[in-house]
Amino acid sequence: MAPANEPLPGTSDLWEPEVTDWVLLEQAARDVFGRYGYGELRTPIFERTDVFVRSIGDDTEVVQKEMYTFEDRGGRSLTLRPEGTAGAMRAIACHGLADGEQLRVFYMGPMFRGERPAAGRRRQFHQVGVEAVGGLEPYQDAEAIAMLVHYLEAIGVSGGRVRLNSRGLPEDRAAVSAAMRQHFAPRAQDMCPDCQRRLDSNVWRILDCKNAACQAAVEGAPKMVDLLGDESRGFFAAVCRGLDQLGVAYELAPRLVRGLDYYVHTVFEVVHSGLGAQDALAGGGRYRIGLPGVKRPLDGVGFAAGMERLLMARESLGLKAAGRPGADVFIVALGDEAIPAGLGLAQALRRTDLGLRVLAGLGGRSLKAQMRAAHREGARWALILGDNELAAGTIVCKTMATSQQETIRRDDLVDWLRQAAAAPAAAASTP
Ligand code: AMP
């Protein structure tokens, strides 16, 4: 058994410098999505279970097998969110949407699925996602995909491939399902028990099955777009035209369905070769979701990208934050009077416009021990303050890289640091 202080399987503690990379993903999301008129939405991490069952669909893998569901003290069934769209739709229904109004939101944060942990598959993972709700234009889909590509560029993830398909409208489903059944029925004996059941209940889901035998049966299945009605094919053609116009490269993926029942028309994903077996970086599509208290179903388009996987893709490209946070300045305080003075000096330096990271040795340790700590923290300068310097109004400034030191007036310290900070970095490299 794992020691009690390890995080649970499929969850992790995040430390610097990894956190620096997470912040980069978050800031880029705010920047890029903001340029397209999206605002941030933060919804609760748990919701009533039916919020997810209703919008994700009760025949989906996520709802049937993966949700963390529990009862609260009042006997209500609650669930930790397994994805972001359902909660966003619940929030939008609660907020209200006027006829013709469009709402663009993005979100990011932890999601929870009880999957078997593997590389790139976590039980607590994080998504950054967007929803553009209240419009039915194919160009909106093209713009959402282009925005995702823009975001990937902004975080340095090159080499992602956009795969695109259309599921058409609900009225196209009967024809597509019939053609699929015809294709899969003779192959049923080779497929997994779940897919044998799906042949009757939800034949589309077979396309998404990860079982190798089912995947083999999917080869040669009918191409969905060919089976759609005129309206759906026209919509899909317009999405492709929009992407061409925006210079976004994509591949047609005629059997891509994506797991969730609420998708209509466009479905897409971005895959990346740096991820290994779980190669999906992001996925999304256009949806039509009926919500309680909202007269008409909501039309929208959105996507979600797995942040752990974005970081894995960055790492595969050699992009990874290094080092750990340290200090620019370490104040070595020696003596009963100098220690509290060092405490005050550190605070004063942090408040200057120099943006310095400042630590002070406040434990009364020896000069040698404090100098070692200054090295460990990667300090560029050690400022030595003893009771003698305190009385004389001076301080000893030591440049760590060169070991040069000089005694200056305390009043001149900020100017001294300003000049030292402006000096070429080579002379002040950290150990
Ligand atoms: P989905 O909501 O299943 O379409 O997932 C959207 C994206 O979230 C995927 O493309 C992955 O990048 C990521 N993702 C989904 N499930 C997991 C998981 N269990 N662990 C890590 N990332 C995940």
Side-chain angles (χ1 to χ4, degrees), residues 83 113 115 120-122 125 127 258 280-283 304-306 308-309:
E83 52 96 63
R113 293 184 196 173
E115 300 193 78
R121 196 166 61 212
R122 319 283 303 155
F125 61 102
Q127 286 184 338
R258 298 197 24 84
L281 260 189
E308 282 80 359
R309 295 198 195 167

Side-chain angles (χ1 to χ4, degrees), residues 172-186 199-200 202-204 222 227:
D172 299 318
R173 302 251 158 102
V176 179
S177 301
M180 297 279 183
R181 257 185 224 111
Q182 213 172 8
H183 169 80
F184 285 114
L199 200 54
D200 293 320
N202 194 341
V203 66
W204 296 56
L227 301 165

Side-chain angles (χ1 to χ4, degrees), residues 130-132 144 263 268 283-287 300-304:
V130 312
E131 314 291 349
Y263 286 117
F268 58 92
R286 170 162 287 281
Y287 47 78
V301 57
F303 62 75

